[in-house]
Amino acid sequence: MGVLVLGGTGFIGGPVAARLVAQGVETAVAHHGARPVAARARSVVLDRRDPAAVLAAVRDLGADTVVDLIAYTQADTLPLLEALSGRIARYVLVSSIDVYRNYEGLHRKGRPTPIWDRLTEDAPLRDSRFPYRLARLRAAGDPQAWMDGYDKIPLEEAARAAAGLEATILRLPMVFGPGDRQRRFSWAIRPMVQGRPRFVIPHPWASWRATFGYVDDVAAGIALAAVHPRASGETFNLGRANTPTNLAWAATFAEHLNWPGEVQLAHPDVARGALAKAVSGLDLGYPLFIDNAKIRRRLGYAEVTDLDDALGRTAADEMER
């Protein structure tokens, strides 16, 4: 078996490639040449937007599986699927839990009835498309112009419909850990390591629940699904089994960092700071509470990182920044 990883030098892709290599899988990493690849993985410099180049790499490696971590738009993915159809056995699409209808309500793109139960793989998807598209499209030269065309739902549909290959779809949670550009737990870690006696968060944010996953654990799930025979043609949610509130996450980091301070709750109208600003546009009446029992039951998935280690590495990374 050979696996070609597209986007295999990034925040999640690097650990995915390392995990595949550790499992004894012949692994190649396609990238632009700006970053080192995982030890013992083959390095292939190419442009993912060039389907012919990707297909040539598949043939050179003798790969029967492609893991695509950077499928964002139809324009950059449909031609690739067409090129790979009939030439590989499995295409692993790294998707997101942003496909679910609750995400639409969270970002005020609609007002669906909130689903309070765990969202299984069969839960309703968004009715709207292009969750990050602006009313006035970004200029072609804008580095974030791709966000206007971003949507995982049509990519999932296209991957399932592609002839000549089996698609495995992995819906990722909010991923945290060293290298997380969104710094998902900075709001809690920074005031603690700065030694503040207290910090304030909006009360809806304190009680909001969303599924997270530590980067190495998520990478292990992707690598497992890439090679497991029972993953073919399936869709899986990934993430930690428990989904604590944000206030509970703050308490967990406080205990880990031995922070003796106090987290205070404030009404959204009077809360101040970067966190209050960041969440002001969200409707936190929509949780992202994801059920990921399927991948655990069917593939035997389990986290590979102790939670204390994950917290420690995440906190250390935040402190270095």
Side-chain angles (χ1 to χ4, degrees):
M1 171 176 285
V3 177
L4 176 65
V5 183
L6 305 178
T9 60
F11 168 49
I12 300 172
V16 169
R19 189 77 187 173
L20 286 166
V21 169
Q23 293 173 183
V25 178
E26 184 178 358
T27 304
V29 173
H31 61 106
H32 287 292
R35 298 178 182 176
V37 304
R40 291 181 287 128
R42 290 180 59 181
S43 174
V44 181
V45 178
L46 58 78
D47 186 344
R48 180 199 168 278
R49 296 169 297 181
D50 183 351
V54 176
L55 182 57
V58 164
R59 288 170 169 163
D60 182 58
L61 176 68
D64 58 7
T65 300
V66 169
V67 176
D68 195 351
L69 287 118
I70 47 178
Y72 298 140
T73 71
Q74 292 170 278
D76 67 19
T77 302
L78 299 190
L80 177 62
L81 284 171
E82 183 177 356
L84 295 176
S85 293
R87 295 173 174 87
I88 60 172
R90 184 179 301 181
Y91 173 79
V92 180
L93 173 67
V94 176
S95 186
S96 167
I97 62 174
D98 68 18
V99 299
Y100 291 115
R101 189 172 296 170
N102 270 15
Y103 196 84
E104 181 175 60
L106 175 68
H107 284 268
R108 303 183 188 274
K109 298 291 187 177
R111 298 187 65 184
T113 301
I115 299 173
W116 293 99
D117 294 332
R118 290 177 181 267
L119 300 172
T120 68
E121 289 83 357
D122 295 325
L125 304 186
R126 284 183 278 104
D127 289 324
S128 63
R129 294 293 181 267
F130 310 112
Y132 307 120
R133 176 173 288 180
L134 299 180
R136 182 176 181 179
L137 298 184
R138 298 167 176 90
D142 188 324
Q144 294 185 321
W146 62 271
M147 295 180 70
D148 288 321
Y150 169 94
D151 198 331
K152 294 288 189 177
I153 293 177
L155 302 190
E156 289 189 5
E157 294 170 348
R160 292 189 190 98
L165 58 79
E166 291 286 345
T168 296
I169 295 167
L170 294 162
R171 292 173 179 163
L172 268 56
M174 296 191 215
V175 184
F176 71 98
D180 171 19
R181 288 183 292 180
Q182 299 192 52
R183 302 170 74 171
R184 298 188 186 276
F185 287 114
S186 176
W187 62 271
I189 297 171
R190 288 189 66 192
M192 292 179 186
V193 299
Q194 289 171 355
R196 298 188 206 171
R198 67 185 62 84
F199 65 94
V200 178
I201 60 176
H203 67 74
W205 173 255
S207 59
W208 189 61
R209 301 176 75 189
T211 298
F212 285 82
Y214 181 66
V215 60
D216 288 352
D217 297 332
V218 169
I222 297 170
L224 176 65
V227 300
H228 200 295
R230 296 189 68 190
S232 183
E234 297 288 346
T235 299
F236 298 104
N237 289 332
L238 262 177
R240 295 192 60 82
N242 63 326
T243 306
T245 64
N246 281 327
L247 187 60
W249 272 114
T252 300
F253 275 105
E255 181 179 4
H256 182 82
L257 295 169
N258 296 314
W259 181 69
E262 177 186 7
V263 180
Q264 296 181 335
L265 307 186
H267 190 278
D269 292 343
V270 299
R272 298 288 184 269
L275 175 62
K277 182 178 180 180
V279 304
S280 62
L282 302 177
D283 185 341
L284 297 171
Y286 291 89
L288 289 177
F289 187 21
I290 308 301
D291 186 296
N292 47 61
K294 179 180 175 181
I295 193 170
R296 297 171 187 275
R297 181 179 63 252
R298 185 160 299 187
L299 306 188
Y301 169 77
E303 283 78 8
V304 297
T305 312
D306 179 79
L307 180 58
D308 276 343
D309 288 343
L311 297 175
R313 295 172 195 169
T314 302
D317 181 65
E318 182 63 36
M319 290 165 69
E320 288 178 1
R321 301 196 203 190

